[in-house]
Amino acid sequence: MLEMFKYLVGSAGASGYGSKSTAEEVSESCMNSITAIVTGATSGIGEETARVLAKRGVRIIIPARNLKAAEEAKARIVSESNCFDRSRITVMALDLSSVKSVVNFVSNFESLNLPLNLLINNAGRFCYEHALSEDGIEMTFATNYLGHFLLTKLLLNRMIETAKSTGVQGRIVNVTSNIHSWFSGDIFEYLGQISQKNRVYDSTRAYAFSKLANVLHTVQLAHKLQEMKANVTVNCVHPGVVKTNLNREREGFVTDLIFYMASKSRLLKIIPEGAATSCYVATNRNVENVNGKYFADCNDQGSCECKTKSAHLAEGLWSASETIVSTLTGKPQP
């Protein structure tokens, strides 16, 4: 009850920020030497994250499946962030549900010969009906987790090299959701079943599974970065409940009424509040050298490993993910 009260009133936690803090309030300034990739930046939390980072001087890469929507988002970001140099915001093609598209995006990004300091894996999808990607992978899992897993893996060397050459710590932010705790059952059994055609499909369970996978990804990647002694960290964030395009497939009177009532009770965050935790973890000095943690309302909620019930799950999912992408790309992943 006390925690709910603190959330509703926006009480500050140990970081000095709380549930009602905005992305502009929590982010550091003067970041002109920083380059960031922000997935899902064509609207909602991702766009706000990109806008605030651009306002702080960060060079922004917007990967998008819909290039028209990305160019429109770029125009808004330039207008609203006082970023007068349009060349510091680059739109590039990326469909996270497609392994081929992820590989092509990374190749195209590397051809730009840019550094990479921040990777914010923000894009998300909630499929109400069972659908498969072009690779035959259940669409929610393919977009929310597997695409980001491969994207991060392929960009990791560039981030490590950037951190080494500049002395600026690289940061990876995985956007998850507290809904990850709703998933129950054997994750490997579920992983083997979810992409089967004509199966009974529970959209909420599929979404929860993808978000649990984001947390497990953070756990294992944090371990690997520590073993490599890389000057790069990874943490995951729960942005809170925000009405964004994630809910676009179920827009209508009932959905709008639910979100309206939630917003009036302050259970629902506005977009600048929803983007705050991502911006805090990506930029704030308080998060320097912090690795493998779970953040909500701009405050450290403890180790991601504690959120996943069993440490071996993270290693197992990583191995399974490598097998999947190796099969789909036709070559083993480094």
Side-chain angles (χ1 to χ4, degrees), residues 173-176 214-215 218 234-238 293-295 304:
V173 180
N174 288 334
V175 179
T176 183
N214 292 146
V215 183
T218 305
V234 59
N235 295 285
C236 66
V237 305
H238 166 53
K293 296 301 180 95
Y294 184 100
F295 285 80
C304 285

Side-chain angles (χ1 to χ4, degrees), residues 4 7-9 20 258-268:
M4 177 60 74
Y7 173 85
L8 291 173
V9 300
K20 305 309 172 191
I258 291 170
F259 276 106
Y260 175 78
M261 293 173 66
S263 65
K264 290 303 180 183
S265 66
R266 295 302 282 143
L267 289 173
L268 185 69

Side-chain angles (χ1 to χ4, degrees), residues 97-100 132-137 146 328:
S97 71
S98 163
V99 164
K100 180 180 179 181
L132 299 180
S133 71
E134 67 178 41
D135 300 312
I137 307 296
L146 191 64
L328 294 173

